[in-house]
């Protein structure tokens, strides 16, 4: 078996193609493997052999294709081929708002210690959603303050491929809006015994 081509990860089980040209129907030849006999004669698929099975062909790494002889040929022969990582830049990037609606711009509310709206970042590849921590990671920068017209360094994030994906989508900006105090702040006050003294009821909040 000769010329088994490498393939790029697709998110699906990967198989090799051996398409015979059909000019009348506009079909072009596509050969990703060639099978020859002992005297180097090219064999015909479904006449001399069939592709009987695959192994490890659903993820990045080394996959195996198994050819089985038919007709005038018998036995099996295996050949390995490489599945390479997909480019993260080939994935489709979209965002959602706080209600889960698709939006063009990533916007989130202020959170103490830095806003990280990872759940609002949606990446899909060949119709399948990528998983944060498995397929990609996100790093954040300048994300600890509300965005305004005077903001010199806008909030920024970078998405880096992981696992079956390689590459980065870098320096993407997003907006941080002010948080509603009634949604993020809880106020409590202790009951105290009345005393007729100056400043006895002065507020002294803890930070």
């Amino acid at each position: 078996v000769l010329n088994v081509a490498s393939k790029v990860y697709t998110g699906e089980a990967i198989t090799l193609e051996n398409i015979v040209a059909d000019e009348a129907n506009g079909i072009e030849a596509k050969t990703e493997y060639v099978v020859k006999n002992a005297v180097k004669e090219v064999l015909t698929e479904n006449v001399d052999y069939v592709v009987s099975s695959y192994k490890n062909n659903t993820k990045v790494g080394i996959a195996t294709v198994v050819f089985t002889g038919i007709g005038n040929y018998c036995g099996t022969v295996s050949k390995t081929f490489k599945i390479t990582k997909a480019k993260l830049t080939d994935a489709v990037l979209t965002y959602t708002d706080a209600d889960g609606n698709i939006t063009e711009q990533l916007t989130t509310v202020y959170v103490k210690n830095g806003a990280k709206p990872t759940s609002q970042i949606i990446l899909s590849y060949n119709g399948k959603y990528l998983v944060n921590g498995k397929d990609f990671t996100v790093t954040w920068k300048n994300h600890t303050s509300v965005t305004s017209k005077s903001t010199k360094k806008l909030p920024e994030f970078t998405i880096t491929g992981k696992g079956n994906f390689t590459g980065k989508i870098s320096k993407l900006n997003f907006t941080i809006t002010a948080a509603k105090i009634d949604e993020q702040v809880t106020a409590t006050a202790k009951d105290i015994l009345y005393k007729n003294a100056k400043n006895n009821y002065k507020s002294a909040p803890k930070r």
Side-chain angles (χ1 to χ4, degrees):
V1 183
L2 303 174
N3 302 332
V4 177
S6 63
K7 302 279 282 185
V8 177
Y9 173 79
T10 64
E12 302 284 352
I14 291 179
T15 58
L16 302 176
E17 293 183 290
N18 189 18
I19 301 173
V20 178
D22 185 350
E23 294 182 2
N25 294 306
I27 299 175
E28 297 183 356
K30 184 176 182 180
T31 302
E32 295 182 330
Y33 55 85
V34 176
V35 180
K36 294 183 179 182
N37 61 16
V39 293
K40 297 185 179 181
E41 294 173 331
V42 177
L43 303 186
T44 302
E45 188 169 358
N46 297 321
V47 174
D48 301 313
Y49 70 92
V50 293
V51 177
S52 54
S53 63
Y54 287 89
K55 297 177 182 178
N56 303 320
N57 63 328
T58 60
K59 59 183 179 180
V60 169
I62 303 300
T64 300
V65 56
V66 180
F67 302 91
T68 299
I70 60 175
N72 294 320
Y73 297 88
C74 63
T76 61
V77 62
S78 299
K79 190 72 175 180
T80 60
F81 63 96
K82 189 175 183 180
I83 300 176
T84 59
K85 292 186 178 185
K87 294 180 180 178
L88 189 66
T89 50
D90 288 337
V92 177
L93 173 62
T94 55
Y95 308 114
T96 63
D97 59 20
D99 296 320
N101 301 309
I102 299 297
T103 179
E104 294 183 0
Q105 174 66 38
L106 180 59
T107 301
T108 190
V109 297
Y110 168 83
V111 176
K112 187 178 180 180
N113 299 323
K116 297 180 179 180
T118 306
S119 61
Q120 292 177 238
I121 297 173
I122 309 299
L123 278 168
S124 62
Y125 180 72
N126 286 344
K128 292 189 175 183
Y129 291 115
L130 275 59
V131 179
N132 178 39
K134 177 184 176 183
D135 302 311
F136 67 92
T137 59
V138 185
T139 54
W140 307 88
K141 189 176 180 180
N142 309 323
H143 60 121
T144 58
S145 301
V146 170
T147 309
S148 67
K149 292 182 178 179
S150 61
T151 300
K152 294 182 179 180
K153 292 184 178 181
L154 293 174
E156 178 182 302
F157 64 99
T158 294
I159 308 172
T160 302
K162 184 178 180 181
N164 293 310
F165 295 87
T166 186
K168 293 182 178 182
I169 305 175
S170 302
K171 298 182 178 180
L172 299 165
N173 295 124
F174 67 107
T175 300
I176 301 174
T177 59
K180 293 181 179 179
I181 193 169
D182 60 333
E183 293 181 353
Q184 291 199 14
V185 177
T186 301
T188 59
K190 291 183 178 181
D191 293 333
I192 60 175
L193 183 66
Y194 171 77
K195 292 182 180 180
N196 187 14
K198 188 177 181 181
N199 295 327
N200 188 52
Y201 305 106
K202 183 179 181 181
S203 175
K206 296 181 180 180
R207 296 183 181 274

